[in-house]
Amino acid sequence: TMRRDMMNIYRDIDFNYMRFVGDIDVYEDSTSSKIVFYGIKRTQLRRGLPESDVCEIEYMLLRRDDTTVLTRRIWPNPDKESEPGGILSVLAEDVVLFDIQYYDGQQWLKTWPEDMEKLCDLIAVSIAANTEAGVVKQTFMVDLSGAKAGTGTSGLFESEEAEEGEGSATPGQPGM
């Protein structure tokens, strides 16, 4: 789901009509990435209600009881002047790592401020969750470098691994 959403990031020649922000949430004992962007959706989310083809999508971790869950919020009628709304769904439970990095063409960054007013070239995402088999880690990259407004499509690279215990860096992945 996340991969598909990122490959369908809405692009416009005028960045004022776009939204792409990468940030970090700070908790008492850890930090976690979060990302908010406008994306193109192809299905109606709320039957019988007006919706735009462009929606606001946010991925973030939330603490629920004694676990951490990866969530997706999709808002079918985004408005930068209004409080964010939409439909919140849980994608994964017992998540121990959610890390996103952004490549600007020269270096990897942990955050992507809205005032950058452009898309990054690459997005690297790592997610790890506790399972009965141990920690399972998923890593993928989305290439936005050739997919600026009105050009081409995004590319995708991915790897998946199962590990014993805590998640660790995947060789060849930037800063993870």
Side-chain angles (χ1 to χ4, degrees):
T1 299
M2 185 182 308
R3 177 181 348 173
R4 183 184 62 239
D5 286 346
M6 289 181 177
M7 291 179 69
N8 287 303
I9 287 175
Y10 176 71
R11 296 155 183 86
D12 196 289
I13 295 170
D14 185 348
F15 198 81
N16 291 319
Y17 297 113
M18 296 173 54
R19 179 143 200 218
F20 186 82
V21 181
D23 205 358
I24 296 177
D25 281 333
V26 179
Y27 303 102
E28 293 174 6
D29 58 347
S30 65
T31 60
S32 172
S33 296
K34 75 176 182 179
I35 186 170
V36 180
F37 57 89
Y38 285 170
I40 308 272
K41 68 177 182 58
R42 304 202 188 320
T43 59
Q44 188 170 6
L45 299 172
R46 303 171 305 171
R47 189 170 283 210
L49 296 174
E51 295 182 354
S52 171
D53 291 341
V54 176
C55 57
E56 182 175 273
I57 301 170
E58 180 176 22
Y59 286 94
M60 65 185 161
L61 290 185
L62 292 177
R63 303 271 171 127
R64 184 199 298 171
D65 300 323
D66 59 346
T67 189
T68 304
V69 294
L70 176 62
T71 62
R72 174 186 188 234
R73 181 184 60 82
I74 184 164
W75 186 16
N77 293 314
D79 178 1
K80 289 183 181 181
E81 305 302 319
S82 299
E83 285 294 316
I87 301 163
L88 184 69
S89 53
V90 173
L91 300 179
E93 295 184 354
D94 208 5
V95 176
V96 295
L97 170 73
F98 182 52
D99 183 68
I100 303 176
Q101 295 189 31
Y102 311 89
Y103 187 67
D104 70 357
Q106 297 180 348
Q107 63 183 335
W108 287 97
L109 306 169
K110 296 292 278 179
T111 62
W112 194 267
E114 192 162 16
D115 63 7
M116 294 287 263
E117 296 190 353
K118 66 176 187 170
L119 292 176
C120 59
D121 290 338
L122 294 169
I123 304 169
V125 179
S126 290
I127 306 166
N130 285 320
T131 69
E132 291 178 10
V135 174
V136 175
K137 182 177 181 183
Q138 173 81 32
T139 299
F140 65 90
M141 295 178 75
V142 178
D143 182 354
L144 301 177
S145 63
K148 304 303 180 201
T151 65
T153 60
S154 300
L156 175 70
F157 312 92
E158 80 176 288
S159 70
E160 185 173 330
E161 55 192 66
E163 304 172 359
E164 295 289 327
E166 292 293 318
S168 63
T170 302
Q173 293 299 318
M176 289 180 219

